[in-house]
Amino acid sequence: MNDAAERYVKLVLAMGEHDSDYVDAFYGPAAWREEVRATRPTLRFIHAAALVLREELESLAMPADPLESLRLIYLRRQTDALIVRAEMIEGRRLRFDDESQALYDAVAPTHEEDYFRRLNAEIESAVPGTGPLTDRVEEFRGQFVIPREKLDAVFGAAIAICRARTMEHMPLPPGETFTVEYVNGKSWSGYNWYHGGFHSLIQVNTDLPIFIDRAIDLACHEGYPGHHVYNSLLEKTLFRDRGWVEASVYALFSPQSLIAEGSANYGIDVAFPAGERVEMEEKHLFPVAGLDPSRAGHYYRVHELISRTGYAGNEAARRYLDGQISAGDAAEWLTTYALMAPERALQRVKFIEQYRSYVINYNLGKDLVRGFVEARTQGDSQRRWNVFADLLASPRLPSGLVSS
Ligand SMILES: [Zn+2]
């Protein structure tokens, strides 16, 4: 399997020469990347080689060892996604659900407008004011913006808290570290770039005002126990300890991303179950941001309700990418049902155009990871950490979260 894995890694790297978003992280042998840069295989070559690799992976006998068998199933499925992505760069267009199935091994449920109207009705009663709900939500949230000059202090505090909490429950590779950088002009609001050697660079986009909930969101999602920990554990347990080279590369448009985004989002609930988040924010983050701690409870009640509108974003993307609605309609849908201010909705439409059906990885990913972990923990908090840590350090697929 090692030989097949090496070819998989080189194909992913070769894809990166045609699709600048494709290789999200690589910390394997530098010579492999140099080789790919020097020879620069064509898409047609990559596609043909991937089909051959896929056939060979199919012919390998399923190993008896559970982790080894996950590895083989993972390599097969990741290669399937690479084949489809290569076809997409050459112009193939799939319907939204077919694309998400092909690339991320999952399909988001469909909801009609009525579903989102009912959610809005619930949110109505929690947000003060009488005007259109989106305006009221924006005005309410506007009272909880982290002032620009306090961003660094608030993020620093949030990261320290998330890191300490994660280390209490799961061992992290020694010397792991990450740096934060502030950027502009991106379609995303935060991004973790894993550099290998247990180091990440986290970029925070400051184009739009940053609400207080984003502090823990970013610190957990991008950092602890999210992307930074996920990548560090893959590097430590699979790449370094076992020598599995496929763990040294992260293909963005692949099933791995649903596990990555889903675990990063669910990681917030792992680190701060139930009321613990509000308590921590009151004590540690609201004061650093200069916000009134007594309002944290109300803010997070509203925040929790609004987070249920996550599937509205999938719906906007599905309808827009399937050609049923225009970009303007998609932005309006996000404004109405995901309760985003117009400028946030426009940023999100740009994200949808760049990353397409990737959007399902956040909310559906979170639900699938939560389902997998909670079915195995019976509400026990340390068990939740253990199952979560095992998931982060294994090559599990989205379909494997549901079926196993
Ligand atoms: Zn993410």
Side-chain angles (χ1 to χ4, degrees), residues 190-192 221-222 226-227 250 257 260-262 264-265 351 358 362:
Y191 209 109
N192 176 73
H221 179 107
E222 310 294 348
H227 293 320
Y250 175 4
S257 277
E261 300 299 356
N265 271 348
F351 185 92
Y358 192 95
Y362 298 97

